[in-house]
Amino acid sequence: MVSRHTLIFFLIFFLIGCSPVSPTGTAVSSTPTTPPTDAPTSAPDYVAQIRNAQYQLSLLDSLRVVQLADGKFEDGAPGSADYVSVTVTDFIARGDLTRDGVEEVAALIAENYGGTGVFVFLVVFANVDGEFTYQTAALVDDRPALNALSIEGGEIFLDAVTHDSEDPFCCPTLRNTRHYRLINGQLDMTDYTTFTPDERPRTITIESPVNGTEVFSSVQIRGAVAIAPFENTLAYRIYDVGGVELSAGSLMVTAPDLGAPGTFNETILIGNILSGVTIRIEIQDISAKDGSLLAMDSVELVVK
């Protein structure tokens, strides 16, 4: 017969043997542990500089420069005639726009003057002795939906949803992408693509000539369209470097069917332009319904 003391001994031994232990032999705590979290990262220095830079109001006719503080500026009472509010969005990109080895910064900045309109501008800041300084701006739209902003290959890329001709001011529906180049201190849009309701891109691509080609009194323009334009007709416009229109006309697209992909290959007369002048030719798809721009591509040429 097993004695009472022997039973107690075996019971204690059994309880000790069933206690949970860790792989190292120490007892496992029943208190849950909190997983480590990543330390917050600060914004890049150039972002902080833009959010605290001087900014030139772009919608006003008169020159006014304001000082941003943490990405904002506000002056006047809301509803008053002199009210102004400026907000730097989260869309900020850095890259070399002038191919001189010094990077510029592009930012999307919103201006409001007390009404419902929130006017978003694409703004370029130049690096002047290590400090980013306002250089120029171009209007994007009133209350656009912003998707992406980047700088690559010396150009700014913007993806946004802006207003179609029949959209209410509150609700833009026209998705589009575009590229800008910084030319003579100003932003020039070099291409523009809109998307159909089923997300088909309406693009124009100039395949020849390439930027910098020397031309004489005429130039052969060859390219393609993703969606053939109305009546297979595209427009062209010739501008000087200051944006002054020098001439305009039309060219035909060859396509197998309405709205199908097509090609163009025509000679454009340049006219009497002085030798050595740089010109920009834009090939455009213009809406027959309201005259708005549906697609565009451009090329810069040098007149001999």
Side-chain angles (χ1 to χ4, degrees):
M1 179 180 292
V2 180
S3 68
R4 182 169 178 269
H5 292 291
T6 303
L7 288 173
I8 293 174
F9 172 79
F10 279 107
L11 179 61
I12 293 172
F13 180 81
F14 175 78
L15 292 174
I16 292 174
C18 292
S19 297
V21 293
S22 71
T24 58
T26 57
V28 176
S29 171
S30 60
T31 304
T33 59
T34 303
T37 57
D38 294 333
T41 57
S42 58
D45 179 64
Y46 70 90
V47 173
Q49 284 195 46
I50 298 305
R51 291 176 59 83
N52 294 279
Q54 288 190 329
Y55 172 71
Q56 180 178 314
L57 297 177
S58 300
L59 197 65
L60 299 181
D61 293 331
S62 58
L63 175 64
R64 183 180 177 187
V65 177
V66 301
Q67 178 64 54
L68 299 172
D70 196 23
K72 294 184 180 296
F73 171 83
E74 189 172 17
D75 188 31
S80 64
D82 59 350
Y83 177 77
V84 58
S85 172
V86 178
T87 303
V88 180
T89 72
D90 293 333
F91 293 88
I92 302 175
R94 183 174 66 174
D96 186 359
L97 296 174
T98 54
R99 302 184 185 277
D100 61 355
V102 179
E103 292 185 323
E104 287 77 26
V105 170
L108 293 171
I109 298 180
E111 298 181 16
N112 172 258
Y113 293 86
T116 57
V118 180
F119 303 95
V120 175
F121 290 86
L122 173 61
V123 184
V124 172
F125 293 84
N127 189 328
V128 180
D129 298 327
E131 182 175 339
F132 288 106
T133 304
Y134 175 96
Q135 184 169 13
T136 189
L139 178 65
V140 176
D141 197 19
D142 173 13
R143 286 165 283 177
L146 304 174
N147 295 327
L149 179 72
S150 61
I151 296 177
E152 187 173 351
E155 292 189 328
I156 300 171
F157 170 76
L158 173 62
D159 184 331
V161 179
T162 59
H163 287 83
D164 203 351
S165 59
E166 297 180 353
D167 287 343
F169 289 128
C170 68
C171 311
T173 63
L174 182 64
R175 186 192 165 206
N176 57 84
T177 62
R178 59 188 87 175
H179 285 90
Y180 291 88
R181 290 180 62 195
L182 187 63
I183 300 174
N184 294 328
Q186 300 297 317
L187 283 170
D188 284 346
M189 188 169 66
T190 58
D191 62 51
Y192 180 75
T193 297
T194 59
F195 291 77
T196 64
D198 59 351
E199 284 296 298
R200 294 172 60 203
R202 190 185 299 271
T203 58
I204 298 174
T205 304
I206 297 175
E207 298 170 347
S208 177
V210 298
N211 283 326
T213 299
E214 295 181 340
V215 296
F216 293 90
S217 58
S218 65
V219 58
Q220 191 81 10
I221 295 284
R222 177 174 57 84
V225 296
I227 299 174
F230 179 73
E231 294 185 344
N232 285 345
T233 303
L234 295 172
Y236 74 81
R237 287 181 167 82
I238 303 177
Y239 299 92
D240 66 13
V241 291
V244 176
E245 184 176 306
L246 303 176
S247 65
S250 62
L251 52 84
M252 299 304 297
V253 169
T254 300
D257 204 351
L258 293 174
T263 60
F264 55 89
N265 189 355
E266 288 200 18
T267 298
I268 294 177
L269 297 178
I270 293 176
N272 297 320
I273 299 176
L274 293 176
S275 176
V277 171
T278 298
I279 60 173
R280 186 177 80 255
I281 298 180
E282 291 187 2
I283 306 298
Q284 304 173 342
D285 183 359
I286 305 296
S287 170
K289 180 179 70 173
D290 54 31
S292 62
L293 184 64
L294 297 175
M296 183 270 287
D297 197 13
S298 65
V299 61
E300 282 194 358
L301 307 172
V302 179
V303 179
K304 287 291 287 181

